[in-house]
Amino acid sequence: MPAQTHISKLTLTNFRNYAALAIDLAPGAVVFSGDNGAGKTNLLEAISLLTPGRGLRRAPYADVAREGGDGGFALHARLDGPDGQVEIGTGISVGEGEGGRRVRINGATARSAEDMLEWLRVVWLTPAMDALFTGPAADRRRFLDRLVLAIDPGHGQRALDYEKAMRGRNRLLTDGSRDDRWFEAIETQMAETGVAIAAARAELVRLLAAMIDRLPDTGPFPQADISLSGDLEAEVSSAPAVDVEERFRRALAGGRDRDRAAGRTLEGPHRSDLLVRHRPKAMPAELCSTGEQKALLVGIVLSHARLTGEMSGMTPILLLDEIAAHLDGGRRAALFSILEELNCQAFMTGTDAALFSSLMGRAQFLTVDHGTVGPTEDA
Ligand SMILES: Nc1ncnc2c1ncn2[C@@H]1O[C@H](COP(=O)(O)OP(=O)(O)OP(=O)(O)O)[C@@H](O)[C@H]1O
């Protein structure tokens, strides 16, 4: 079993509705309760920004800096892990723009945000993800690419590199460029990164499917069958990557006229989709009821947490926003016992602490009240 990593102290400065906050946190389950708009999700968002990317709301940094503050914000966590304590911090300073996020680890400036993954993994589930199965494929690709970080911390950068190259190609297409050498250079890069993306996704799906199989088949969180729709993802599972790269590069070169007419690149990993089926019902997830979709998603996210722990050797921090509201009593109890088995620090939010009453004595209960956080009185 992976060693537990948990946040023992969290500090927020000028972040959302918090001017200055410092809270001590216990390992295991932590329940944030409070009124609507009190700042519960903001706390989870702060923790989610201790990983690369834009956090669980994908908000511009200008939005997360406190209104009425100086335009900057800072987040800081003390982690207790298998190798002792580590301090990680991030934020932007006054006057720095969107690209100005800094990361510090034990006081030293990190090379990139990816360095945080060496110390901390964060897995989240928010109400915004309720539309994952019915919403646009782009959301599922983004979800999938975040899952891949469990097995490959370099995946985020690779996805950015591919996007950048593809935008360059799309510009050539819409400009009507016939500069074959430019096209070749960009397409070679797209083939290389695109196939690496497809290979990482295919591997993630293979490993995650094995974790999902470990969910009890009659349990409250049904097993899902997951697969990928993309040609590249299918090809890399059965052919050497160099061959797939060459095939993709030729397809891009041969597809220039078609893509010129469309005004964009029509083939590549930016078009593939994560397909999810409810196994017991043998039905596509998007046709399931709202509650069934939520239960499927919880199963996938918990399986992903388990995979992250096994691959990285440290337990991820789980952020489960408004989780209790969506689950009946039986499912809540099942969730709590899986969380205990996973041995993760798990932050859960809700307007009503009573929904978590079965965790009494086994969790830290904190009340969030518009910029302050303190122990929940009747917990
Ligand atoms: N940049 C900001 N500066 C100051 N306050 C902000 C900023 N961004 C958001 N807020 C405030 O934060 C509050 C929302 O916090 P949050 O979304 O964490 O609430 P919540 O407790 O999760 O509520 P709910 O139960 O309704 O989901 C709102 O009152 C909002 O006005």
Side-chain angles (χ1 to χ4, degrees):
M1 183 184 282
Q4 200 201 52
T5 295
H6 79 275
I7 299 175
S8 54
K9 190 176 188 103
L10 180 69
T11 310
L12 277 58
T13 310
N14 280 330
F15 183 82
R16 296 279 190 191
N17 61 339
Y18 296 93
L21 177 81
I23 40 176
D24 292 312
L25 296 163
V30 180
V31 175
F32 291 129
S33 61
D35 295 341
N36 291 129
K40 305 179 294 295
T41 307
N42 293 347
L43 292 172
L44 301 195
E45 184 183 30
I47 297 170
S48 72
L49 281 165
L50 297 168
T51 58
R54 296 207 158 243
L56 55 75
R57 283 195 176 107
R58 298 200 300 114
Y61 296 139
D63 287 2
V64 308
R66 187 175 66 89
E67 297 229 349
D70 58 13
F73 73 90
L75 306 169
H76 190 264
R78 187 180 66 208
L79 305 175
D80 282 38
D83 303 320
Q85 286 192 336
V86 183
E87 307 272 343
I88 68 173
T90 189
I92 56 170
S93 306
V94 186
E96 277 182 334
E98 284 296 298
R101 160 138 107 122
R102 291 212 184 147
V103 172
R104 292 177 83 78
I105 298 173
N106 281 336
T109 304
R111 275 175 305 123
S112 77
E114 265 76 43
D115 291 2
M116 291 190 279
L117 292 171
E118 204 179 311
W119 306 102
L120 179 67
R121 301 302 179 104
V122 184
V123 169
W124 60 79
L125 178 61
T126 70
M129 289 157 67
D130 289 351
L132 188 73
F133 303 130
T134 51
D139 287 353
R140 283 184 294 282
R141 274 193 300 274
R142 203 172 296 113
F143 174 70
L144 173 65
D145 285 333
R146 197 152 38 74
L147 298 184
V148 176
L149 294 179
I151 59 167
D152 186 353
H155 188 72
Q157 189 54 48
R158 190 186 288 142
L160 289 177
D161 291 345
Y162 178 83
E163 281 284 325
K164 194 169 159 204
M166 187 183 65
R167 275 201 306 275
R169 184 173 185 271
N170 287 350
R171 226 174 292 121
L172 290 182
L173 293 168
T174 51
D175 289 351
S177 168
R178 301 274 161 187
D179 187 338
D180 285 345
R181 269 203 273 174
W182 256 119
F183 269 109
E184 274 160 32
I186 290 180
E187 287 161 358
T188 301
Q189 204 194 344
M190 284 176 71
E192 210 178 286
T193 49
V195 170
I197 288 169
R201 286 176 179 169
E203 177 67 357
L204 179 276
V205 165
R206 191 180 71 77
L207 293 168
L208 184 59
M211 287 295 162
I212 291 172
D213 286 346
R214 281 164 58 177
L215 290 169
D217 52 7
T218 54
F221 304 117
Q223 292 175 342
D225 287 313
I226 54 171
S227 58
L228 295 162
S229 71
D231 292 344
L232 286 184
E233 281 91 347
E235 287 170 52
V236 287
S237 306
S238 56
V242 281
D243 294 355
V244 185
E245 245 177 75
E246 183 55 18
R247 204 279 302 152
F248 182 35
R249 200 186 55 72
R250 282 170 196 265
L252 286 168
R256 282 179 208 157
D257 285 336
R258 176 201 62 193
D259 290 355
R260 221 174 257 119
R264 66 204 155 95
T265 304
L266 292 177
E267 187 186 340
H270 61 287
R271 306 274 291 179
S272 50
D273 199 353
L274 174 68
L275 309 175
V276 179
R277 291 178 68 84
H278 190 294
R279 188 181 299 168
K281 297 191 74 152
M283 188 181 267
E286 63 272 26
L287 299 184
C288 293
S289 77
T290 315
E292 286 167 342
Q293 290 188 30
K294 186 76 181 187
L296 266 181
L297 196 52
V298 172
I300 292 173
V301 167
L302 292 175
S303 303
H304 178 243
R306 196 188 300 275
L307 178 67
T308 302
E310 292 197 0
M311 298 303 294
S312 69
M314 56 186 155
T315 55
I317 309 276
L318 274 162
L319 309 177
L320 304 172
D321 197 15
E322 284 178 41
I323 189 74
H326 286 80
L327 303 176
D328 56 39
R331 286 198 164 84
R332 278 201 300 278
L335 171 71
F336 299 156
S337 77
I338 295 177
L339 292 179
E340 275 178 349
E341 185 220 322
L342 288 174
N343 191 31
C344 291
Q345 188 179 38
F347 294 90
M348 293 177 274
T349 68
T351 48
D352 188 1
L355 289 175
F356 299 91
S357 57
S358 65
L359 283 176
M360 216 65 92
R362 298 186 286 151
Q364 183 181 17
F365 282 82
L366 295 168
T367 297
V368 179
D369 185 12
H370 304 278
T372 63
V373 178
T376 303
E377 268 172 19
D378 45 6

